Amino acid sequence: MNMRKSEIIVLGIILFSFIVGIYFYPQMPEQMASHWNAQGQMDGYMSKFWGLFLMPLISVALF
């Protein structure tokens, strides 16, 4: 019973992260920073889709 409750909580968190990504999607720039060098300058970019949904998708895969 306890395992089932924790699974529901994890799925709720994942669902919430997708909802937040969908909400902010129109407001985000087409390219988002994804990496910074040792001097703190941006040197890596990804599309806004991957910037917003990469971690939720990884969370689903790990779940």
Side-chain angles (χ1 to χ4, degrees), residues 44-61:
Y45 299 89
M46 63 175 60
S47 70
K48 70 179 176 179
F49 175 83
W50 291 114
L52 290 171
F53 298 112
L54 180 62
M55 291 310 295
L57 290 170
I58 289 173
S59 297
V60 168

Side-chain angles (χ1 to χ4, degrees), residues 2-14 63:
N2 193 14
M3 182 63 173
R4 184 73 182 137
K5 185 176 181 181
S6 65
E7 288 175 348
I8 292 170
I9 291 170
V10 170
L11 286 174
I13 292 169
I14 293 170
F63 181 72

Side-chain angles (χ1 to χ4, degrees), residues 12-25 53 56:
I13 292 169
I14 293 170
L15 179 62
F16 179 73
S17 63
F18 276 107
I19 291 169
V20 169
I22 291 167
Y23 178 80
F24 285 107
Y25 190 84
F53 298 112

